[in-house]
Amino acid sequence: MGVVTTMDPDSARQPQGKLSKDGHALIEANLGDRGKHYVCGSLAAFTNIIVTFPIQKVLFRQQLHGVRVTEAVHQLQREGLRHLYRGLLPPLLQKTTTVAIMFGLYEDFSRLLLHHAHGSGAPELVTRSVAAALAGTAEAALTPFERVQTLLQDHRHNGRFNNTAHTFRTLLRDYGVRECYRGLVPVLLRNGPSNILFFGLRGPIKQQLPDARTHMGHMANDFVCGGLLGAALGIMFYPLNVVKSRAQAQVGGKFVPCHQVLMTVWRERGGSIVLLFRGATLNYHRSLLSWGIINATYELLLKVF
């Protein structure tokens, strides 16, 4: 199965020989072309977060407490509109940065690895898969933003943490940097494989869609492609997100291994697969919308820039 990327083949070409009087301009143009993947990824994520944050908050309550969607919505209604967007800043900062890293580093790692793999006979699929995994691993450096988002969305901490800055200050002052990375293992287990599948499959999936002849048609195809992939990956890695949410809701104390957290949740929910995946339906629809927006906006902005 081939991999189709958004990388402009011309952007990967290196200038050869002596620099002409326009050589510096050529280098700057190449750097700008590479940088646009970071900018477009960031703006796409910004658009997505503003639209889907309330849905994500309902989903988080389901993951954390194992309640039905109606109860999660009632919790938010009781807390009022004032708290609906509480916790927005961490995912806004985290998602705009991680999606920028996801797309930008994937392109950069792909160029670098393809250049070194040239002539070695290494399959391009393998090279691009490694690039996707490396980009996903790099995203995990921003786990503290997911950590703070979890604490601000958990109503049990409403009286303890005021906002993003206060939460960061409290964690660092009282517990140290390590506490900010609670839940890192499930993030790492999720990011690398999901990136490999996302970048590896979005090209082939788009090729199976009806040919687009207009800008709106291309946007619709990009939305469907990104949405279907995001929704499928969201279901596939849903238990890891449940483990992450449970681990990150704890403040202080022992760092419990990932598998032990999973077993605790499993026992609490009566060994039921259905209850373990509670919230997965909403997550499916949120991911369908979220990654549809991200992929379509990203591809549109690439054309604009």
Side-chain angles (χ1 to χ4, degrees), residues 245-296:
S245 295
R246 174 59 67 90
Q248 291 184 338
Q250 177 184 339
V251 180
K254 181 181 178 182
F255 277 65
V256 182
C258 187
H259 69 278
Q260 289 187 21
V261 176
L262 178 60
M263 292 309 300
T264 298
V265 175
W266 175 261
R267 286 192 297 269
E268 288 178 357
R269 301 186 185 182
S272 169
I273 290 289
V274 173
L275 293 181
L276 180 63
F277 275 82
R278 175 154 285 175
T281 301
L282 181 59
N283 183 66
Y284 176 88
H285 291 98
R286 181 196 65 84
S287 296
L288 189 69
L289 175 63
S290 177
W291 281 101
I293 291 173
I294 288 175
N295 199 51

Side-chain angles (χ1 to χ4, degrees), residues 92 114 135 143 149 156-157 162 166 222 228 242-243 251 265-266 285 291-292 295:
L92 199 61
L114 287 171
T143 296
Q149 178 189 356
R156 295 172 300 181
H157 298 298
N162 300 328
H166 179 257
D222 289 328
L228 288 177
V242 172
V243 170
V251 180
V265 175
W266 175 261
H285 291 98
W291 281 101
N295 199 51

